[in-house]
Structures are given as structure tokens and as C-alpha cells.
Amino acid sequence: MTPIQQQYTRVILVWLATLAALFIVQQFFTRV
Amino acid sequence: MHAIDWIVVAAYLTWVLWDGIRQARRSKDVEGFMVAGRSLPWWLVGLSVMATQLSAITMIGTTGQGYLSGMRFLQYYYALPIAMIVISIIFVPFFHNAKVLTAYQYLENRFDAKTRALTALLFLFSRALSTSVVISAPAVVMSVILGLNVTVTCLLIGLPTTIFTMFGGVRAVAYTDVKQMVMVVVSLVSAAVALMWGLPDGVGVVDALQVAGTTGRMQMFDFRLDFTEQYTFWSGTIAALFLYLSYFGTDQSQVQRYLAAKSADEARTSLLMSAYWKIPLQSLVLGVGVLTFTYYLFAAPPMLFNHVHEPRVRASERAGEYAALERRFAEAIGQRRTAAEQAAAAGDSDSGMARAFSAAGFLSWDEEVKKIRAEAVALVRQVSGDAGYNDVNYVFPTFVTTHLPIGLVGLVVSAILVAAMSVSSAELSALATASVIDFYRRFGRPDASDAHVVWVTRAATLFWGLFASVVAIWAVELGSLIEVVNRFGSLFYGSILGVFLLAIGWKRANGHGAFVAALVGMATILSIATWTPIAFLWHNLIGAVVVFTVGVIVSALIPGSSDSRLPTPGSRGDR
């Protein structure tokens, strides 16, 4: 992979991790 | 506001103005003025691109939205990282190889002059009005908060912006953006700390956010597939992708910034900076809104945050009704506070039943508070005749000016003003560049010297700056009318994206095909927006798909003008 392709891969991984983290935060704070 | 805060504001605005004007010495030729000599480092371009999306409206409007409806607006940004990757792969190499000064210039090289003129005209039309809104929306709020005349606040934002953009060009825009980013982030973090600090003893941040969670304010994912709902996971990831592709890929106010990067690789890296940071930053903005809500659960909030019509209401024959609402509000707030304390205490309980019971008690009082506020807003609207009256944008500035320590208030107020200035300066620079490069130099004086073009661009910046400031002052009077016209302009984002996708993605597309397709796309979106309840974000996707499809068909049927001096798919990019 070229350096820029590695950057794209990193962005996608960080994006997925961010969404997963936000989902966990949502579930934690909306449980009643 | 305290005198020290005023000094902070004055010192900061003076520094922004002086530093912007100082950039004039490196902005003497066309390339230097419009794209900073294509010499800016990736971090500067990246911060600048991010700053443009953190306007004053974000600071006051989005925090207000967080206060009223919570984090759900965050879904609007979920597609942004993917859009940045697509733009880095598709758009950046084309613009950089073409060495253009405006995005629309590329369309003439690829198609013809009329397609370039149409897209550039659409840009000028929509951006000119949105620049006025960028100035007028915070100016109105700050005039109420600071007790200044709204004309003064419009000019306080508009005039210095016009002056430093006129002298410093895109380099001044970029450096102002950096100052803005630092100030906005420092302000938001300080406000978040103050809000958490302000919670009563015995109520932790987690407890408070759990109470906010019972009202749905911590919802960040809505998986319903409902095309009429504005913010869902699907509109935020699929439809918003097309909005971002259009905004960052084809809008001159964004493209101009990454055209200023040293190389295509640096431009890509700068865009990927937004891909990493946009969602966390927006979470911070909305989070401050939610924290403001939790803060006011335990400290009495005003019934309405916008006091602009209060004297008139109190002097009217319905003053008694208003006072009665205030009494009901005070009672409901007291009850809600007690219920919130119980819900916060029950948050640690292992018993689901106890948590549900206390949450239900809290929610019923929260509903009552909402109902009274809605009645008060309706009353103020009726008495004042101001149908657009609202107080969403006043929540955060009210907290800042009444609860933050001296000095910090000045810092946050400066951040709001500079955010309005830096975003409008980017737009002024783009408006001036597009009007001179795509119209004046293209149709008027193609042989004009560099010095002449820079001089005319400075004059165009002055013109657009005065235009935006004057319309901003009028916008206060006209209110919703300007907003309607502004929305009308933003309807065509998808269609413009469709034209660019056709240029880059369909080798056999020609000028007639692109032009006809753009008009058909715009008519389609106008009809959809008028006669269907489909939410705004989906218009971008529909517009782009319609234009691309119609463009392919018309180009096949009508042989037309296509001057492919620029690379298209299949070519090596060196013609």
C-alpha cells in the first residue's frame, strides 16, 4: 500500500472506532 | 460585560485585523492573492478547512440545538470522513493537475463556457446570501447579549473582515482560521469545564448525563429509514455524503483553500485532518449544549433566553398572562430539579424499576417545563408580531455572559465574533475570486495584467463585503425571507456535484449534456422541495443522480461542445 492508501485505511478504521464508541456511549447513557 | 472583557474583545479583534492586513506583502500577484502561491503547508490548510465549518452559527446555534434536542444532530456529520477520502481520490488530483484558480474554471476546460458560467453564477448567488446570514445570525444574538445596536454588531463583524480579506487574500483567511480554531476550541473546553464544575454537590457528570439521556438527548443513532426525517443514521451517512462531496469538492469557498496547498498530497492530508477531527469536534459542540441542559436542571434557567421583546410584553395588556406563565415556570423548574436529583441518585441503583420510576417523574416535569416555554414563545410572538422569534441561539451566550469568570467571557465573545469573521472572510475571498476569474477576466478583460487582476479582485472583495454587510443589516428586518432565499440557493448543491461527477466520471459527456442536465436537475429538486416532504439531505443525492443520468443521455443524443484539454478517466492526465 502507498502512504496515502495507508492514510485512507487509517481514516476508515478511526471512523468505525468513533462510531462504535459513540454507540456505546449512547447505550450507556440511555439505559433506564 | 465587564470592562476587562471588552478589552479582551477589542485586543483580539485588533490583532486579527492587523495580522490579516500584514499578509498583503505576500499577496501581490494573482496566484499569491487567490491561492497563496500554492505554498501553504497541509496543517494550515487542514485547520482552515475545519475552521470554515465551525462558524459563529455553530457556536451559538448548534450548542442551542444540543440544549434543546441533544446529540442527534451529530448524525449529520457521520459521512464526512468518507466524503474526504472520496474527494482526496477523485477531485484533488483533477484540480491540482489543472492548475485552476476556481473549481468552475475546470468545467470550461472540460466542457464549455456556458456550463462554467452557470455553476459559477449559482455559487455567487447562494454564497453571497449565505455570507450575509453568517454575519447577521450571530450579529443579532450578540446585539441582544452585549446590548449593542444590531447595525453596529453587523458592521463590527463585516467591516474588519472585508478590510483584511481585501489586503491579505486567501493567506489572511487561512491565518485567521487558525486563530479562530484555537479560540473556539479553548472556549468550548472552558465552557464544558465550567458547566461540569457548576453541578451541585452529590451530582456527578455521569449522573447528570444519564438524566439528560432519559429525555433522549444522548441519542446519536436513529436507524429508522424515514426519508422525511431530517437527521437519521441513513440520511447522515448516505445522503449527507453527497452534500459533503458537493460542498468540499465543488464549492469555491472550500476548493480555493486546498488549491493553496503545496501539492496534491498535502491537499489530501489537509482534508483527512477534517476526516479525523470533525466528528469529535462536533461532539464537543453538541456536548456543551447537553451539559448546558444538565447545568440548568439544577440551577434555575430564565423562562426565555432571548429577552429582546420582554419589555414590550410586560408593557402589553397580556403582561398578566406572561407573569402567570413565569410563576408556573418557577414552580415547574423547582419540581423538575427535585425530580432530577432523585433521578440522578437512582442512576446508581441496581434496580431497573427504581430507575424507571424516578426517570418517569423527572420526564413529566420536564414536559411541563417544555410546554410552558412553548406557551411563552407563542405569547411573545403574538404580542411582538415577530413570527420568527426563538431563543435557541441565546442559550449558550446567556450562560457564558452570566456564569463564566471575567476575562473568559471576553475570550468566548471574541471567539464567536472571530468565528463569524473568519468564515465570512473565506466566503468573501471565494466570491471575489469567482467573480473576477470566472466572469471579469473570462468575459471582460482576458488580457488583463496580474497587477490589474489583483486590484480588481480587491475591489470585488470590497464590493462583496459591503454587499454582505448591508444585506446582513436588512436580513434582520426581512428575517425569514433571507433565510428562504438562502435555502433556495442550497437546494442546488446536488446538481452542481452532478455536473462535476459528469466531468470527471464520464468521458463521453459534453458541454450541452452537462448544461441541460444541470437545468433538469435543478428543476427536479425545486419540484421535490416544493411538493414532497422529503428531507433536505436527500435532495443532494437525488440532484447528483438526476444530473449524472440526464447528462449521460443528452451527451449521447446531442454531439456537443467538449474541449477535453484536461484529464478525464482513461487519459494519462498529461494532455
Side-chain angles (χ1 to χ4, degrees):
Chain A
M1 273 204 291
T2 62
I4 194 76
Q5 283 171 335
Q6 283 173 357
Q7 279 204 57
Y8 296 151
T9 312
R10 213 175 303 140
V11 168
I12 291 172
L13 290 176
V14 171
W15 179 63
L16 291 173
T18 309
L19 291 186
L22 290 172
F23 189 73
I24 292 167
V25 169
Q26 168 186 289
Q27 294 310 99
F28 179 77
F29 284 112
T30 50
R31 78 193 168 103
V32 173
Chain B
M1 219 167 58
H2 194 274
I4 294 176
D5 293 317
W6 279 112
I7 293 170
V8 171
V9 173
Y12 196 75
L13 294 190
T14 311
W15 179 45
V16 166
L17 179 62
W18 174 76
D19 197 45
I21 293 173
R22 219 164 53 97
Q23 304 300 332
R25 63 200 158 91
R26 295 169 73 187
S27 308
K28 285 181 179 150
D29 57 12
V30 171
E31 289 257 323
F33 190 81
M34 292 178 185
V35 287
R38 301 184 201 274
S39 66
L40 298 185
W42 66 268
W43 59 268
L44 183 56
V45 177
L47 281 174
S48 182
V49 167
M50 277 207 290
T52 315
Q53 306 147 57
L54 265 184
S55 70
I57 298 175
T58 314
M59 277 193 80
I60 56 180
T62 310
T63 47
Q65 216 161 6
Y67 177 89
L68 284 183
S69 50
M71 303 287 290
R72 53 185 301 118
F73 181 57
L74 192 62
Q75 296 172 104
Y76 185 75
Y77 297 95
Y78 286 169
L80 193 133
I82 303 303
M84 290 308 195
I85 294 179
V86 177
I87 290 164
S88 297
I89 295 172
I90 297 179
F91 290 93
V92 171
F94 278 92
F95 289 141
H96 264 270
N97 290 346
K99 294 273 173 233
V100 287
L101 291 167
T102 73
Y104 319 109
Q105 204 178 347
Y106 171 79
L107 288 182
E108 177 168 15
N109 296 351
R110 173 67 178 87
F111 291 137
D112 54 20
K114 66 177 182 299
T115 310
R116 172 187 185 177
L118 174 70
T119 48
L121 202 64
L122 275 176
F123 166 75
L124 291 182
F125 170 73
S126 59
R127 275 296 142 200
L129 285 163
S130 74
T131 311
S132 327
V133 175
V134 164
I135 295 172
S136 75
V140 171
V141 178
M142 296 321 280
S143 74
V144 175
I145 298 288
L146 302 177
L148 295 172
N149 183 298
V150 72
T151 306
V152 173
T153 48
C154 279
L155 295 178
L156 192 67
I157 297 169
L159 288 187
T161 306
T162 307
I163 294 168
F164 77 70
T165 315
M166 208 170 100
F167 287 100
V170 87
R171 199 181 286 275
V173 173
Y175 280 102
T176 309
D177 284 342
V178 173
K179 295 184 197 85
Q180 176 214 341
M181 272 306 287
V182 174
M183 286 289 278
V184 167
V185 173
V186 169
S187 301
L188 289 172
V189 171
S190 312
V193 170
L195 285 161
M196 290 190 268
W197 203 271
L199 289 172
D201 291 342
V203 178
V205 179
V206 173
D207 300 330
L209 288 178
Q210 255 163 359
V211 177
T214 61
T215 66
R217 280 181 174 80
M218 294 303 284
Q219 195 187 358
M220 293 175 264
F221 293 86
D222 179 348
F223 290 113
R224 285 175 301 162
L225 188 60
D226 181 350
F227 293 101
T228 60
E229 189 67 42
Q230 198 67 270
Y231 308 119
T232 65
F233 179 75
W234 309 112
S235 71
T237 46
I238 302 168
L241 176 67
F242 286 80
L243 172 70
Y244 294 128
L245 289 180
S246 181
Y247 183 55
F248 292 102
T250 74
D251 191 296
Q252 178 63 12
S253 63
Q254 295 299 315
V255 174
Q256 189 168 0
R257 227 72 55 72
Y258 58 81
L259 283 176
K262 277 180 192 165
S263 64
D265 269 346
E266 295 234 347
R268 285 192 189 105
T269 312
S270 69
L271 286 175
L272 295 183
M273 200 169 160
S274 285
Y276 286 118
W277 288 104
K278 185 62 191 173
I279 297 176
L281 258 178
Q282 212 58 36
S283 310
L284 174 66
V285 179
L286 286 163
V288 165
V290 176
L291 285 171
T292 313
F293 172 74
T294 60
Y295 176 84
Y296 279 124
L297 286 179
F298 305 103
M303 182 166 72
L304 295 174
F305 287 89
N306 179 357
H307 298 293
V308 69
H309 298 307
E310 201 177 296
R312 202 191 303 181
V313 176
R314 288 197 191 284
S316 74
E317 57 188 23
R318 299 183 70 182
E321 246 177 275
Y322 190 74
L325 278 175
E326 281 185 314
R327 283 193 295 276
R328 271 177 61 202
F329 183 76
E331 158 72 11
I333 282 295
Q335 296 286 358
R336 186 180 73 168
R337 178 186 172 141
T338 310
E341 281 165 352
Q342 283 165 359
D348 300 328
S349 161
D350 289 333
S351 157
M353 181 81 93
R355 289 201 305 268
F357 185 73
S358 54
F362 165 72
L363 282 176
S364 68
W365 281 112
D366 190 51
E367 275 304 313
E368 177 68 8
V369 167
K370 245 195 266 177
K371 207 173 118 212
I372 299 169
R373 268 176 49 82
E375 283 177 42
V377 168
L379 178 64
V380 172
R381 283 182 183 168
Q382 285 161 13
V383 173
S384 66
D386 177 0
Y389 172 84
N390 216 320
D391 73 345
V392 184
N393 293 345
Y394 294 78
V395 176
F396 182 63
T398 301
F399 169 77
V400 167
T401 48
T402 52
H403 290 86
L404 286 190
I406 293 169
L408 204 53
V409 176
L411 193 89
V412 180
V413 169
S414 308
I416 294 174
L417 293 174
V418 173
M421 289 164 77
S422 83
V423 174
S424 51
S425 77
E427 302 199 336
L428 287 185
S429 172
L431 283 167
T433 304
S435 33
V436 172
I437 297 299
D438 293 320
F439 292 99
Y440 181 79
R441 197 172 79 169
R442 171 64 183 83
F443 298 105
R445 296 276 304 272
D447 53 348
S449 69
D450 241 30
H452 178 81
V453 172
V454 172
W455 185 87
V456 175
T457 312
R458 289 200 162 121
T461 310
L462 179 65
F463 166 78
W464 286 118
L466 294 178
F467 175 86
S469 304
V470 170
V471 175
I473 295 166
W474 273 349
V476 177
E477 299 293 322
L478 297 172
S480 52
L481 178 66
I482 295 287
E483 204 177 298
V484 168
V485 182
N486 188 34
R487 257 189 220 158
F488 180 78
S490 67
L491 282 177
F492 303 130
Y493 267 133
S495 305
I496 295 179
L497 173 66
V499 175
F500 277 87
L501 291 179
L502 206 54
I504 293 169
W506 194 253
K507 199 180 170 186
R508 274 178 277 174
N510 60 43
H512 294 325
F515 190 78
V516 172
L519 296 179
V520 172
M522 286 159 62
T524 309
I525 293 304
L526 208 54
S527 317
I528 287 175
T530 314
W531 288 300
T532 74
I534 293 174
F536 157 73
L537 280 174
W538 294 100
H539 296 169
N540 300 288
L541 188 156
I542 298 167
V545 171
V546 167
V547 170
F548 193 86
T549 314
V550 173
V552 168
I553 295 169
V554 176
S555 299
L557 295 177
I558 310 169
S561 53
S562 178
D563 179 7
S564 295
R565 277 177 285 158
L566 284 178
T568 54
S571 74
R572 296 284 304 161
D574 50 4
R575 280 190 289 163

PDB file of all heavy atoms in Angstrom, chain B residues 257-279:
ATOM      1  N   ARG B 257      -9.214  26.771  -0.778  1.00  0.00           N
ATOM      2  CA  ARG B 257      -8.287  26.539   0.327  1.00  0.00           C
ATOM      3  C   ARG B 257      -7.322  25.412  -0.006  1.00  0.00           C
ATOM      4  O   ARG B 257      -6.133  25.527   0.202  1.00  0.00           O
ATOM      5  CB  ARG B 257      -9.059  26.216   1.599  1.00  0.00           C
ATOM      6  CG  ARG B 257      -8.576  26.988   2.788  1.00  0.00           C
ATOM      7  CD  ARG B 257      -8.983  28.448   2.689  1.00  0.00           C
ATOM      8  NE  ARG B 257     -10.411  28.514   2.511  1.00  0.00           N
ATOM      9  CZ  ARG B 257     -11.275  28.247   3.486  1.00  0.00           C
ATOM     10  NH1 ARG B 257     -10.854  27.949   4.669  1.00  0.00           N
ATOM     11  NH2 ARG B 257     -12.556  28.326   3.262  1.00  0.00           N
ATOM     12  N   TYR B 258      -7.854  24.289  -0.556  1.00  0.00           N
ATOM     13  CA  TYR B 258      -6.878  23.225  -0.807  1.00  0.00           C
ATOM     14  C   TYR B 258      -6.148  23.386  -2.128  1.00  0.00           C
ATOM     15  O   TYR B 258      -5.168  22.693  -2.379  1.00  0.00           O
ATOM     16  CB  TYR B 258      -7.434  21.815  -0.569  1.00  0.00           C
ATOM     17  CG  TYR B 258      -8.644  21.370  -1.330  1.00  0.00           C
ATOM     18  CD1 TYR B 258      -8.540  20.896  -2.628  1.00  0.00           C
ATOM     19  CD2 TYR B 258      -9.896  21.362  -0.729  1.00  0.00           C
ATOM     20  CE1 TYR B 258      -9.649  20.431  -3.302  1.00  0.00           C
ATOM     21  CE2 TYR B 258     -11.007  20.903  -1.395  1.00  0.00           C
ATOM     22  CZ  TYR B 258     -10.881  20.443  -2.685  1.00  0.00           C
ATOM     23  OH  TYR B 258     -11.982  19.986  -3.367  1.00  0.00           O
ATOM     24  N   LEU B 259      -6.612  24.350  -2.943  1.00  0.00           N
ATOM     25  CA  LEU B 259      -5.792  24.720  -4.114  1.00  0.00           C
ATOM     26  C   LEU B 259      -4.530  25.455  -3.648  1.00  0.00           C
ATOM     27  O   LEU B 259      -3.536  25.536  -4.359  1.00  0.00           O
ATOM     28  CB  LEU B 259      -6.586  25.634  -5.051  1.00  0.00           C
ATOM     29  CG  LEU B 259      -7.640  24.973  -5.925  1.00  0.00           C
ATOM     30  CD1 LEU B 259      -8.395  26.041  -6.718  1.00  0.00           C
ATOM     31  CD2 LEU B 259      -7.047  23.950  -6.857  1.00  0.00           C
ATOM     32  N   ALA B 260      -4.615  26.015  -2.414  1.00  0.00           N
ATOM     33  CA  ALA B 260      -3.477  26.770  -1.877  1.00  0.00           C
ATOM     34  C   ALA B 260      -2.413  25.857  -1.266  1.00  0.00           C
ATOM     35  O   ALA B 260      -1.357  26.327  -0.853  1.00  0.00           O
ATOM     36  CB  ALA B 260      -3.968  27.766  -0.833  1.00  0.00           C
ATOM     37  N   ALA B 261      -2.691  24.555  -1.187  1.00  0.00           N
ATOM     38  CA  ALA B 261      -1.710  23.630  -0.598  1.00  0.00           C
ATOM     39  C   ALA B 261      -0.530  23.449  -1.545  1.00  0.00           C
ATOM     40  O   ALA B 261      -0.661  23.609  -2.759  1.00  0.00           O
ATOM     41  CB  ALA B 261      -2.371  22.290  -0.313  1.00  0.00           C
ATOM     42  N   LYS B 262       0.629  23.085  -0.964  1.00  0.00           N
ATOM     43  CA  LYS B 262       1.865  22.965  -1.742  1.00  0.00           C
ATOM     44  C   LYS B 262       1.764  21.926  -2.855  1.00  0.00           C
ATOM     45  O   LYS B 262       2.359  22.069  -3.910  1.00  0.00           O
ATOM     46  CB  LYS B 262       2.995  22.546  -0.802  1.00  0.00           C
ATOM     47  CG  LYS B 262       3.625  23.679  -0.044  1.00  0.00           C
ATOM     48  CD  LYS B 262       4.719  23.137   0.859  1.00  0.00           C
ATOM     49  CE  LYS B 262       5.145  24.216   1.838  1.00  0.00           C
ATOM     50  NZ  LYS B 262       5.932  23.667   2.942  1.00  0.00           N
ATOM     51  N   SER B 263       1.070  20.823  -2.598  1.00  0.00           N
ATOM     52  CA  SER B 263       0.979  19.743  -3.582  1.00  0.00           C
ATOM     53  C   SER B 263      -0.334  19.009  -3.387  1.00  0.00           C
ATOM     54  O   SER B 263      -1.034  19.225  -2.389  1.00  0.00           O
ATOM     55  CB  SER B 263       2.130  18.757  -3.358  1.00  0.00           C
ATOM     56  OG  SER B 263       1.968  18.155  -2.091  1.00  0.00           O
ATOM     57  N   ALA B 264      -0.641  18.118  -4.344  1.00  0.00           N
ATOM     58  CA  ALA B 264      -1.879  17.345  -4.229  1.00  0.00           C
ATOM     59  C   ALA B 264      -1.833  16.489  -2.967  1.00  0.00           C
ATOM     60  O   ALA B 264      -2.841  16.342  -2.270  1.00  0.00           O
ATOM     61  CB  ALA B 264      -2.053  16.467  -5.462  1.00  0.00           C
ATOM     62  N   ASP B 265      -0.663  15.947  -2.634  1.00  0.00           N
ATOM     63  CA  ASP B 265      -0.550  15.105  -1.440  1.00  0.00           C
ATOM     64  C   ASP B 265      -0.807  15.903  -0.169  1.00  0.00           C
ATOM     65  O   ASP B 265      -1.469  15.426   0.760  1.00  0.00           O
ATOM     66  CB  ASP B 265       0.837  14.457  -1.367  1.00  0.00           C
ATOM     67  CG  ASP B 265       0.827  13.101  -2.058  1.00  0.00           C
ATOM     68  OD1 ASP B 265      -0.287  12.592  -2.324  1.00  0.00           O
ATOM     69  OD2 ASP B 265       1.915  12.573  -2.349  1.00  0.00           O
ATOM     70  N   GLU B 266      -0.271  17.134  -0.134  1.00  0.00           N
ATOM     71  CA  GLU B 266      -0.510  17.978   1.060  1.00  0.00           C
ATOM     72  C   GLU B 266      -1.985  18.373   1.145  1.00  0.00           C
ATOM     73  O   GLU B 266      -2.544  18.463   2.238  1.00  0.00           O
ATOM     74  CB  GLU B 266       0.382  19.229   1.026  1.00  0.00           C
ATOM     75  CG  GLU B 266       1.850  18.884   1.130  1.00  0.00           C
ATOM     76  CD  GLU B 266       2.575  19.621   2.241  1.00  0.00           C
ATOM     77  OE1 GLU B 266       2.029  20.574   2.798  1.00  0.00           O
ATOM     78  OE2 GLU B 266       3.710  19.215   2.552  1.00  0.00           O
ATOM     79  N   ALA B 267      -2.607  18.607  -0.028  1.00  0.00           N
ATOM     80  CA  ALA B 267      -4.042  18.932  -0.032  1.00  0.00           C
ATOM     81  C   ALA B 267      -4.838  17.757   0.527  1.00  0.00           C
ATOM     82  O   ALA B 267      -5.757  17.938   1.336  1.00  0.00           O
ATOM     83  CB  ALA B 267      -4.498  19.251  -1.453  1.00  0.00           C
ATOM     84  N   ARG B 268      -4.463  16.533   0.122  1.00  0.00           N
ATOM     85  CA  ARG B 268      -5.158  15.338   0.615  1.00  0.00           C
ATOM     86  C   ARG B 268      -4.992  15.210   2.129  1.00  0.00           C
ATOM     87  O   ARG B 268      -5.957  14.990   2.856  1.00  0.00           O
ATOM     88  CB  ARG B 268      -4.558  14.087  -0.036  1.00  0.00           C
ATOM     89  CG  ARG B 268      -4.964  13.889  -1.465  1.00  0.00           C
ATOM     90  CD  ARG B 268      -4.565  12.488  -1.881  1.00  0.00           C
ATOM     91  NE  ARG B 268      -4.741  12.313  -3.297  1.00  0.00           N
ATOM     92  CZ  ARG B 268      -3.739  12.279  -4.168  1.00  0.00           C
ATOM     93  NH1 ARG B 268      -2.489  12.385  -3.766  1.00  0.00           N
ATOM     94  NH2 ARG B 268      -3.995  12.110  -5.441  1.00  0.00           N
ATOM     95  N   THR B 269      -3.757  15.366   2.593  1.00  0.00           N
ATOM     96  CA  THR B 269      -3.512  15.225   4.033  1.00  0.00           C
ATOM     97  C   THR B 269      -4.316  16.262   4.810  1.00  0.00           C
ATOM     98  O   THR B 269      -4.849  15.969   5.887  1.00  0.00           O
ATOM     99  CB  THR B 269      -2.002  15.388   4.331  1.00  0.00           C
ATOM    100  OG1 THR B 269      -1.293  14.561   3.418  1.00  0.00           O
ATOM    101  CG2 THR B 269      -1.657  14.985   5.735  1.00  0.00           C
ATOM    102  N   SER B 270      -4.429  17.485   4.258  1.00  0.00           N
ATOM    103  CA  SER B 270      -5.171  18.530   4.960  1.00  0.00           C
ATOM    104  C   SER B 270      -6.652  18.164   5.054  1.00  0.00           C
ATOM    105  O   SER B 270      -7.297  18.405   6.076  1.00  0.00           O
ATOM    106  CB  SER B 270      -4.998  19.875   4.264  1.00  0.00           C
ATOM    107  OG  SER B 270      -5.647  19.869   3.023  1.00  0.00           O
ATOM    108  N   LEU B 271      -7.198  17.561   3.997  1.00  0.00           N
ATOM    109  CA  LEU B 271      -8.617  17.170   4.039  1.00  0.00           C
ATOM    110  C   LEU B 271      -8.832  16.029   5.038  1.00  0.00           C
ATOM    111  O   LEU B 271      -9.853  15.966   5.718  1.00  0.00           O
ATOM    112  CB  LEU B 271      -9.086  16.736   2.645  1.00  0.00           C
ATOM    113  CG  LEU B 271      -9.280  17.873   1.639  1.00  0.00           C
ATOM    114  CD1 LEU B 271      -9.628  17.307   0.270  1.00  0.00           C
ATOM    115  CD2 LEU B 271     -10.383  18.822   2.090  1.00  0.00           C
ATOM    116  N   LEU B 272      -7.843  15.135   5.106  1.00  0.00           N
ATOM    117  CA  LEU B 272      -8.002  13.989   6.018  1.00  0.00           C
ATOM    118  C   LEU B 272      -7.961  14.434   7.492  1.00  0.00           C
ATOM    119  O   LEU B 272      -8.467  13.745   8.362  1.00  0.00           O
ATOM    120  CB  LEU B 272      -6.934  12.927   5.740  1.00  0.00           C
ATOM    121  CG  LEU B 272      -7.059  12.279   4.347  1.00  0.00           C
ATOM    122  CD1 LEU B 272      -6.022  11.182   4.168  1.00  0.00           C
ATOM    123  CD2 LEU B 272      -8.457  11.710   4.108  1.00  0.00           C
ATOM    124  N   MET B 273      -7.387  15.616   7.730  1.00  0.00           N
ATOM    125  CA  MET B 273      -7.403  16.164   9.085  1.00  0.00           C
ATOM    126  C   MET B 273      -8.863  16.359   9.556  1.00  0.00           C
ATOM    127  O   MET B 273      -9.211  16.027  10.684  1.00  0.00           O
ATOM    128  CB  MET B 273      -6.691  17.515   9.047  1.00  0.00           C
ATOM    129  CG  MET B 273      -6.201  18.001  10.347  1.00  0.00           C
ATOM    130  SD  MET B 273      -5.147  19.420   9.954  1.00  0.00           S
ATOM    131  CE  MET B 273      -5.129  20.210  11.495  1.00  0.00           C
ATOM    132  N   SER B 274      -9.701  16.898   8.646  1.00  0.00           N
ATOM    133  CA  SER B 274     -11.124  17.045   8.990  1.00  0.00           C
ATOM    134  C   SER B 274     -11.759  15.681   9.196  1.00  0.00           C
ATOM    135  O   SER B 274     -12.639  15.523  10.041  1.00  0.00           O
ATOM    136  CB  SER B 274     -11.886  17.740   7.861  1.00  0.00           C
ATOM    137  OG  SER B 274     -11.599  19.092   7.847  1.00  0.00           O
ATOM    138  N   ALA B 275     -11.310  14.693   8.382  1.00  0.00           N
ATOM    139  CA  ALA B 275     -11.880  13.353   8.490  1.00  0.00           C
ATOM    140  C   ALA B 275     -11.673  12.793   9.890  1.00  0.00           C
ATOM    141  O   ALA B 275     -12.547  12.150  10.460  1.00  0.00           O
ATOM    142  CB  ALA B 275     -11.247  12.432   7.451  1.00  0.00           C
ATOM    143  N   TYR B 276     -10.519  13.074  10.503  1.00  0.00           N
ATOM    144  CA  TYR B 276     -10.259  12.585  11.856  1.00  0.00           C
ATOM    145  C   TYR B 276     -11.000  13.392  12.913  1.00  0.00           C
ATOM    146  O   TYR B 276     -11.513  12.851  13.877  1.00  0.00           O
ATOM    147  CB  TYR B 276      -8.761  12.689  12.186  1.00  0.00           C
ATOM    148  CG  TYR B 276      -7.899  11.662  11.502  1.00  0.00           C
ATOM    149  CD1 TYR B 276      -6.900  12.050  10.613  1.00  0.00           C
ATOM    150  CD2 TYR B 276      -8.062  10.301  11.748  1.00  0.00           C
ATOM    151  CE1 TYR B 276      -6.093  11.099   9.991  1.00  0.00           C
ATOM    152  CE2 TYR B 276      -7.261   9.356  11.133  1.00  0.00           C
ATOM    153  CZ  TYR B 276      -6.275   9.767  10.256  1.00  0.00           C
ATOM    154  OH  TYR B 276      -5.499   8.835   9.648  1.00  0.00           O
ATOM    155  N   TRP B 277     -11.026  14.711  12.745  1.00  0.00           N
ATOM    156  CA  TRP B 277     -11.409  15.580  13.858  1.00  0.00           C
ATOM    157  C   TRP B 277     -12.832  16.115  13.840  1.00  0.00           C
ATOM    158  O   TRP B 277     -13.319  16.633  14.825  1.00  0.00           O
ATOM    159  CB  TRP B 277     -10.430  16.765  13.957  1.00  0.00           C
ATOM    160  CG  TRP B 277      -9.116  16.308  14.472  1.00  0.00           C
ATOM    161  CD1 TRP B 277      -7.967  16.124  13.750  1.00  0.00           C
ATOM    162  CD2 TRP B 277      -8.812  15.904  15.816  1.00  0.00           C
ATOM    163  NE1 TRP B 277      -6.973  15.642  14.555  1.00  0.00           N
ATOM    164  CE2 TRP B 277      -7.464  15.504  15.834  1.00  0.00           C
ATOM    165  CE3 TRP B 277      -9.549  15.851  17.002  1.00  0.00           C
ATOM    166  CZ2 TRP B 277      -6.832  15.047  16.991  1.00  0.00           C
ATOM    167  CZ3 TRP B 277      -8.927  15.400  18.149  1.00  0.00           C
ATOM    168  CH2 TRP B 277      -7.583  15.004  18.138  1.00  0.00           C
ATOM    169  N   LYS B 278     -13.512  16.043  12.682  1.00  0.00           N
ATOM    170  CA  LYS B 278     -14.825  16.696  12.600  1.00  0.00           C
ATOM    171  C   LYS B 278     -15.851  16.102  13.574  1.00  0.00           C
ATOM    172  O   LYS B 278     -16.544  16.843  14.275  1.00  0.00           O
ATOM    173  CB  LYS B 278     -15.356  16.614  11.156  1.00  0.00           C
ATOM    174  CG  LYS B 278     -16.659  17.358  10.948  1.00  0.00           C
ATOM    175  CD  LYS B 278     -16.497  18.829  11.230  1.00  0.00           C
ATOM    176  CE  LYS B 278     -17.838  19.518  11.275  1.00  0.00           C
ATOM    177  NZ  LYS B 278     -17.726  20.903  11.717  1.00  0.00           N
ATOM    178  N   ILE B 279     -15.957  14.773  13.614  1.00  0.00           N
ATOM    179  CA  ILE B 279     -16.975  14.164  14.482  1.00  0.00           C
ATOM    180  C   ILE B 279     -16.655  14.431  15.968  1.00  0.00           C
ATOM    181  O   ILE B 279     -17.539  14.879  16.713  1.00  0.00           O
ATOM    182  CB  ILE B 279     -17.153  12.656  14.185  1.00  0.00           C
ATOM    183  CG1 ILE B 279     -17.662  12.472  12.746  1.00  0.00           C
ATOM    184  CG2 ILE B 279     -18.122  12.000  15.164  1.00  0.00           C
ATOM    185  CD1 ILE B 279     -17.780  11.023  12.296  1.00  0.00           C
TER     186      ILE B 279
END
